Amino acid sequence: MAAAVTAAAPPNLTSLRFHGWREKPTFSLSPTTLRFFRNSSRTKHLTQVLALVDEQQQQQVSFTEEENSLVEALIGIQGRGRSASPQQLTDVERAVQALESLQGIPDPTSSSLIEGRWQLMFTTRPGTASPIQRTFVGVDFFSVFQEVFLQTNDPRVSNIVKFSDAIGELKVEAAASIKDRKRILFRFDRAAFSFKFLPFKVPYPVPFRLLGDEAKGWLDTTYLSQSGNLRISRGNKGTTFVLQKKTEPRQRLLSTISTGTGVKEAIDEFISFNQNKGIGEPELQEGEWEMLWSSQEETDSWLENAANGLMGKQIVKENGQIKFVVDILLGLKFSITGTFVKSGTTPYDITMDDAAIIGGQFGYPVELESKFKLEPLYSDDKIRITRGYNKIVFVHLRTDGTGQK
């Protein structure tokens, strides 16, 4: 795939072209353009152009209909599967089986598309299998990758846990070989921490040589997309893995929320991106919505937070009713019911006035009332972003499956 970029600021950039875009772009510059960029003060313009192209490539990730069904099933699953509900697991497995029944790349182990760094999005058994899985895979704060390089003199498969840009990563490497068109054989043989604040690597304390057969395994690639962006693999311990080279905007937003860094900026970019796509005004969709993140910095009393929707779950109904539910402890819940009415073009008027502490079939009424405006900023069948009480921004995930394909 070739892409051409034209920039207006520096002269003669019309000849800046990228060839064979996949993992690492290669480009050619005309002699005039080369002379322009030999001036080190101007290289900033080239960096900005490259960053713009990379951003556009990231935003234009596309999937087939069947691949998109799997991506949709993965949205909102926490811990890469560890916290998935039975229904979520069923949806993912159904989408995985549908893709495995299709014709992806017929010989994935010999294809160049399998080469490179893959981000782990989901695994069916995050609490078992390899040491790196048992320790880190179920923690959303970390990013987990797998590198596959088979077409080299030293074929390797590596599992990588990236703690953060500031801290560093753990890399567990395995010598690899191709058994057939789908299966990779591997043996873990070395591992080390690479910390940004240390000039040397710290060995990972696992004696691979003493593990014998426990350090060996195999990995079948059961689906590799024609785009080289989506891969499904099954391991020798019965684990299913879903990996992607590029993620779609909602996945990137949820990943940022998991790390807790730069969330406000990521939300602004996400909303702006969807507004540029010409998506209509978001509505307050019915369903059960669990709060994932809020921009709240100052904390009110516990009851006030609950009554203003600053914690717990929101249940939105078609008839203009809305309920906030917060688990307290020992089976006790706080519940407050109210109404929502559309006011103007976008915001909703929320009135919450029927509160109670509930335990089993019994409820203790609480005198409490709250009124505020709720403005949907983005909403689909999986994720919702709103601006509510005291202009606090919220991100909710849908938990009931209503309306989901």
Side-chain angles (χ1 to χ4, degrees):
M1 176 180 177
V5 177
T6 302
N12 303 316
L13 272 185
T14 54
S15 60
L16 176 58
R17 289 183 173 270
F18 297 86
H19 307 291
W21 185 281
R22 187 170 298 151
E23 297 167 23
K24 295 182 178 180
T26 59
F27 53 88
S28 59
L29 299 172
S30 69
T32 304
T33 307
L34 281 172
R35 286 194 297 272
F36 178 83
F37 282 114
R38 283 196 183 103
N39 184 330
S40 60
S41 65
R42 293 170 176 168
T43 57
K44 180 180 179 181
H45 295 291
L46 177 59
T47 302
Q48 292 173 338
V49 171
L50 295 177
L52 175 61
V53 172
D54 182 64
E55 180 181 354
Q56 292 174 341
Q57 290 285 331
Q58 287 288 333
Q59 292 176 345
Q60 295 173 1
V61 176
S62 61
F63 300 96
T64 65
E65 181 178 349
E66 294 81 6
E67 291 168 357
N68 192 63
S69 294
L70 176 55
V71 173
E72 285 290 319
L74 295 176
I75 296 291
I77 293 180
Q78 303 296 294
R80 299 177 188 87
R82 171 172 286 181
S83 302
S85 67
Q87 183 61 51
Q88 287 174 321
L89 292 175
T90 298
D91 292 344
V92 171
E93 184 60 27
R94 184 186 297 117
V96 164
Q97 291 177 357
L99 285 174
E100 290 177 330
S101 67
L102 299 177
Q103 181 66 41
I105 298 297
D107 300 312
T109 56
S110 60
S111 171
S112 62
L113 293 177
I114 201 172
E115 303 274 310
R117 174 174 280 209
W118 296 84
Q119 184 171 356
L120 179 65
M121 309 305 297
F122 176 86
T123 175
T124 53
R125 302 174 65 189
T128 61
S130 68
I132 197 169
Q133 281 183 268
R134 290 194 295 268
T135 307
F136 300 113
V137 167
V139 182
D140 277 327
F141 183 78
F142 306 138
S143 297
V144 181
F145 301 91
Q146 184 178 81
E147 287 184 347
V148 179
F149 293 105
L150 303 176
Q151 301 176 16
T152 69
N153 293 330
D154 182 24
R156 290 201 160 262
V157 174
S158 302
N159 294 333
I160 299 166
V161 176
K162 183 177 180 180
F163 304 115
S164 72
D165 289 333
I167 297 176
E169 65 183 30
L170 165 64
K171 186 173 186 178
V172 182
E173 299 185 50
S177 62
I178 297 174
K179 180 178 182 181
D180 55 39
R181 64 191 186 94
K182 289 184 177 292
R183 179 162 295 185
I184 300 171
L185 305 177
F186 62 85
R187 176 190 284 272
F188 290 110
D189 58 2
R190 64 192 186 207
F193 292 94
S194 296
F195 294 116
K196 297 291 186 180
F197 49 85
L198 291 177
F200 54 86
K201 294 182 178 181
V202 178
Y204 184 53
V206 174
F208 293 112
R209 292 183 180 180
L210 301 180
L211 292 179
D213 289 344
E214 285 296 313
K216 296 192 299 183
W218 50 260
L219 190 67
D220 283 349
T221 296
T222 56
Y223 181 80
L224 178 61
S225 66
Q226 297 287 344
S227 65
N229 187 45
L230 179 66
R231 174 164 65 95
I232 300 171
S233 293
R234 295 185 183 266
N236 56 292
K237 296 187 178 181
T239 310
T240 301
F241 305 94
V242 178
L243 308 101
Q244 293 175 227
K245 279 187 179 175
K246 293 181 181 178
T247 52
E248 63 110 69
R250 288 175 300 171
Q251 291 175 310
R252 294 197 292 275
L253 173 61
L254 294 176
S255 177
T256 301
I257 291 174
S258 297
T259 65
T261 303
V263 178
K264 292 182 180 179
E265 294 79 6
I267 290 175
D268 289 341
E269 291 176 7
F270 177 81
I271 293 173
S272 176
F273 170 70
N274 283 282
Q275 288 175 341
N276 292 336
K277 290 172 61 177
I279 298 176
E281 292 291 340
E283 299 289 333
L284 194 58
Q285 294 191 50
E286 64 174 308
E288 296 183 7
W289 301 85
E290 189 76 30
M291 194 182 78
L292 179 65
W293 179 88
S294 82
S295 62
Q296 181 185 18
E297 296 180 355
E298 296 182 2
T299 303
D300 296 322
S301 72
W302 185 89
L303 276 178
E304 287 178 319
N305 284 336
N308 291 320
L310 303 184
M311 57 175 61
K313 181 179 293 185
Q314 294 184 5
I315 302 173
V316 182
K317 299 183 179 181
E318 272 188 319
N319 59 4
Q321 287 192 330
I322 186 170
K323 178 189 288 188
F324 301 159
V325 180
V326 180
D327 291 324
I328 305 175
L329 54 86
L330 300 176
L332 294 178
K333 295 183 178 181
F334 170 82
S335 173
I336 184 168
T337 302
T339 60
F340 64 92
V341 179
K342 190 74 175 284
S343 61
T345 55
T346 302
Y348 290 82
D349 288 319
I350 307 293
T351 301
M352 309 299 294
D353 55 9
D354 185 7
I357 303 294
I358 299 174
Q361 298 179 346
F362 302 96
Y364 178 79
V366 177
E367 290 293 329
L368 197 60
E369 184 180 65
S370 177
K371 293 183 179 182
F372 56 91
K373 290 188 178 294
L374 186 66
E375 179 185 2
L377 303 175
Y378 173 85
S379 183
D380 61 28
D381 286 336
K382 288 283 190 173
I383 185 174
R384 190 187 75 191
I385 305 174
T386 55
R387 181 182 292 112
Y389 171 78
N390 205 23
K391 297 190 179 300
I392 295 172
V393 175
F394 303 88
V395 178
H396 285 82
L397 291 177
R398 196 167 201 160
T399 58
D400 63 341
T402 302
Q404 296 176 21
K405 297 180 180 180

